[in-house]
Amino acid sequence: MAFKIYNTMNRAKEELVPLDGKHVRMYTCGPTVYNYAHIGNFRAYMFEDLLRRYIKFCGFEVTQVQNLTDVDDKTIRGSIEQGLPLKQYTKKYIDSFFEDLAKLNIEPAEHYPAATDYIPDMIAIIETFFEKGYAYQSDDGSVYYSIDKFAGYGKLARLDREGMQSGARVAQDEYDKDNAADFALWKAYVPEDGDVVWDSPWGRGRPGWHIECSAMSMKLLGESFDIHTGGVDNIFPHHEDEIAQSEAATGKPYSKYWMHCGYLVVDGRKMSKSLGNFYTLREILDMGYTGREVRYELLSGHYRQSLNFAFKSLDANRAALKRLDEFHATIKEAIGAEKVADELPEWASGTRAAFAAAMDDDMNISGAMAAIFDMVHAGNKAMAATPLTGKQAVAVSNLWKELDTVLGILEPPKEEISADVAGLLEARAAARAAKDWAESDRIRDALAALGWTVKDTPEGPKLRKI
Ligand code: AMP
Ligand code: ZN
């Protein structure tokens, strides 16, 4: 079996074959840390999480780099508005970004470079552009990339080269295809930049956004690597400009595959800060939803399609997760003290292959989830008639854990037991030791009132959430 991924560069599904055969190096455009990330951003990071997890499931090693854009037009504007030094301003959002990743059970990348730590690398790349004739300095002192010097300009976004305004310049980090023009590599200092400024051979200033990713990706992953990811809005201009910079600097191919996820939308419109139709993760958690429910939601649609965000789907996820948890609890009970696995029962024997076949097809998550729910459905029916042996249950549990290395939602989160509940459990053990059955029953009812059932097993009493 081969893992096929949709390569935006060729507009086709292609087998993932790492450049060195066994180790996938991937770069993920990370957050601009000028505010709390919204769950639209996390849709992109979730797609990348699913991707890295499935790559590992396929037996490859992964090195993922996700950058932190801590200097650009937006972070500078924000820090000045709040009267804080740039590093201090962005730190708050970097910290909250990592907290949110943990709540969503997104696996950490291997590297999280911050742009401000790579300024000399950016300067070194821009210097090669002057040597090779790709860069020029404008009257205001800023340095621009001359797009007509790079023959491949427009190959990712499939731009019509005829219509390009070479020689015209665009200073902002974000612009659209109609304004494809020479873009800023280095922006000369203006008073609005406050104290955000570095020296360079072309005078004081700061880098443009696009050069940041070229510098950090190649420094940490090498000049050529395997996969570059982001949301579809990154295709142009950001990724197009990264290709132009990186390939012009090295003369080598930059990323072998380009993968982009569709938008999280609200009423048909992209969730975004500028439209104001966004929710941060913390807002949703404050409403009583869990990170696991949001994770389920962000995973639930195919990554290349738009995913509509609605609270009623979060409610439906709660019910779906409950079904998974009940199945999981039944398996755990059947395991008892057994440690050794036997063959899988017949109803679970085809699940791994069905799951992998769906995921191999450009991460067809609906097919993969269907394989799991089919197993749960068939398993519940079969186990109602004939309980599993402990050894079979261990095999099912192992499969469940293996599939969860990809999904990150199957294993129930560890229940937090409050001090009250722990105290009641102890009191119940004491009552039972003293053969005070009335007291033991009273405590059982008190636990039930707090939402717990207790069951006595050979390994001692086990609590389970009702
Ligand atoms: P930004 O901080 O705006 O640079 O965005 C960070 C990442 O989130 C980029 O990869 C974007 O493509 C992605 N992104 C932003 N909004 C959405 C959305 N509504 N749905 C999916 N991805 C998004
Ligand atoms: Zn980037």
Side-chain angles (χ1 to χ4, degrees):
M1 290 302 283
F3 180 23
K4 288 195 163 175
I5 53 179
Y6 184 86
N7 187 356
T8 308
M9 182 62 87
N10 298 325
R11 308 290 194 269
K13 289 184 199 172
E14 298 171 357
E15 182 179 343
L16 173 62
V17 182
L19 291 168
D20 79 356
K22 54 186 193 305
H23 177 189
V24 176
R25 286 166 291 159
M26 67 186 258
Y27 186 84
T28 298
C29 286
T32 306
V33 283
Y34 73 112
N35 209 326
Y36 296 112
H38 57 69
I39 57 165
N41 301 127
F42 284 110
R43 179 176 197 208
Y45 310 140
M46 193 62 79
F47 136 66
E48 288 142 357
D49 183 51
L50 184 67
L51 176 63
R52 66 168 276 133
R53 285 165 173 263
Y54 192 63
I55 292 171
K56 290 201 287 185
F57 184 91
C58 293
F60 299 115
E61 230 184 288
V62 174
T63 300
Q64 181 188 9
V65 175
Q66 178 166 36
N67 73 294
L68 304 167
T69 302
D70 63 347
V71 52
D72 81 324
D73 298 350
K74 292 187 276 199
T75 49
I76 293 177
R77 203 184 317 129
S79 73
I80 289 175
E81 271 166 21
Q82 293 196 11
L84 291 173
L86 186 68
K87 278 270 184 198
Q88 196 179 329
Y89 169 77
T90 56
K91 182 175 185 306
K92 173 172 163 191
Y93 301 114
I94 293 173
D95 291 346
S96 69
F97 171 66
F98 288 120
E99 282 166 27
D100 289 355
L101 290 182
K103 293 212 173 83
L104 291 171
N105 196 16
I106 291 179
E107 277 188 1
E110 282 65 29
H111 303 275
Y112 289 103
T116 48
D117 294 330
Y118 289 78
I119 306 287
D121 303 282
M122 299 172 205
I123 291 176
I125 295 176
I126 300 171
E127 281 190 299
T128 67
F129 293 151
F130 278 104
E131 286 157 21
K132 296 182 178 180
Y134 290 99
Y136 63 92
Q137 194 161 20
S138 67
D139 294 343
D140 73 351
S142 294
V143 175
Y144 284 86
Y145 185 100
S146 180
I147 57 173
D148 67 347
K149 296 276 164 34
F150 182 66
Y153 195 80
K155 64 183 173 179
L156 180 68
R158 305 231 164 148
L159 300 185
D160 175 9
R161 282 184 72 83
E162 297 296 302
M164 279 183 209
Q165 313 168 37
S166 144
R169 288 190 288 270
V170 51
Q172 309 94 285
D173 288 327
E174 294 181 67
Y175 52 93
D176 57 29
K177 283 186 193 179
D178 292 339
N179 297 312
D182 294 350
F183 59 90
L185 295 164
W186 187 261
K187 304 188 187 198
Y189 180 75
V190 288
E192 295 83 69
D193 288 350
D195 60 2
V196 180
V197 61
W198 288 268
D199 285 323
S200 83
W202 325 281
R204 282 150 56 80
R206 59 168 171 111
W209 173 34
H210 315 299
I211 194 71
E212 298 180 5
C213 282
S214 284
M216 290 183 275
S217 59
M218 293 197 293
K219 177 86 182 226
L220 292 164
L221 293 174
E223 292 174 339
S224 301
F225 54 88
D226 299 293
I227 310 181
H228 199 310
T229 64
V232 280
D233 54 343
N234 287 149
I235 296 174
F236 190 87
H238 187 49
H239 290 167
E240 194 69 60
D241 291 352
E242 273 190 56
I243 294 170
Q245 295 165 154
S246 307
E247 298 193 349
T250 67
K252 295 179 190 154
Y254 181 45
S255 179
K256 183 172 176 188
Y257 306 91
W258 290 84
M259 293 178 74
H260 297 97
C261 72
Y263 293 137
L264 187 69
V265 300
V266 183
D267 299 327
R269 301 173 83 195
K270 175 188 176 191
M271 182 179 283
S272 69
K273 298 234 168 76
S274 54
L275 289 174
N277 60 350
F278 67 91
Y279 293 97
T280 61
L281 180 64
R282 44 209 66 215
E283 280 170 331
I284 294 182
L285 299 182
D286 284 347
M287 292 175 197
Y289 294 100
T290 64
R292 187 177 177 223
E293 285 158 359
V294 178
R295 178 176 177 90
Y296 194 141
E297 180 62 20
L298 295 178
L299 281 179
S300 63
H302 189 272
Y303 78 88
R304 281 194 289 125
Q305 275 156 17
S306 307
L307 179 68
N308 190 52
F309 177 74
F311 285 101
K312 67 173 190 303
S313 14
L314 283 179
D315 296 330
N317 296 343
R318 183 165 291 182
L321 287 167
K322 187 160 171 260
R323 254 197 302 154
L324 297 176
D325 287 350
E326 282 165 1
F327 175 81
H328 179 265
T330 311
I331 299 295
K332 279 268 158 285
E333 260 174 45
I335 291 178
E338 185 57 64
K339 299 254 178 319
V340 183
D342 196 354
E343 300 273 291
L344 282 166
E346 189 272 328
W347 48 262
S349 57
T351 305
R352 190 187 189 282
F355 175 88
M359 289 298 288
D360 277 345
D361 181 17
D362 192 32
M363 303 206 291
N364 171 3
I365 190 75
S366 315
M369 289 307 297
I372 289 168
F373 278 105
D374 285 351
M375 170 177 80
V376 168
H377 181 74
N380 283 337
K381 224 164 116 182
M383 289 188 290
T386 327
L388 286 187
T389 65
K391 288 189 165 61
Q392 283 178 314
V394 173
V396 176
S397 169
N398 289 346
L399 172 67
W400 195 255
K401 286 194 192 111
E402 191 194 7
L403 300 177
D404 204 35
T405 61
V406 178
L407 297 172
I409 47 169
L410 300 181
E411 287 287 314
K414 296 262 174 296
E415 295 284 3
E416 298 269 322
I417 297 177
S418 67
D420 287 359
V421 171
L424 282 170
L425 202 61
E426 259 178 50
R428 181 175 172 277
R432 285 174 67 84
K435 300 206 181 337
D436 183 348
W437 308 120
E439 175 65 359
S440 157
D441 286 351
R442 190 193 66 74
I443 296 173
R444 188 194 56 213
D445 294 345
L447 283 167
L450 293 171
W452 296 91
T453 56
V454 59
K455 197 167 165 179
D456 294 295
T457 74
E459 303 96 67
K462 287 255 152 59
L463 277 175
R464 190 165 149 188
K465 196 103 195 160
I466 297 171

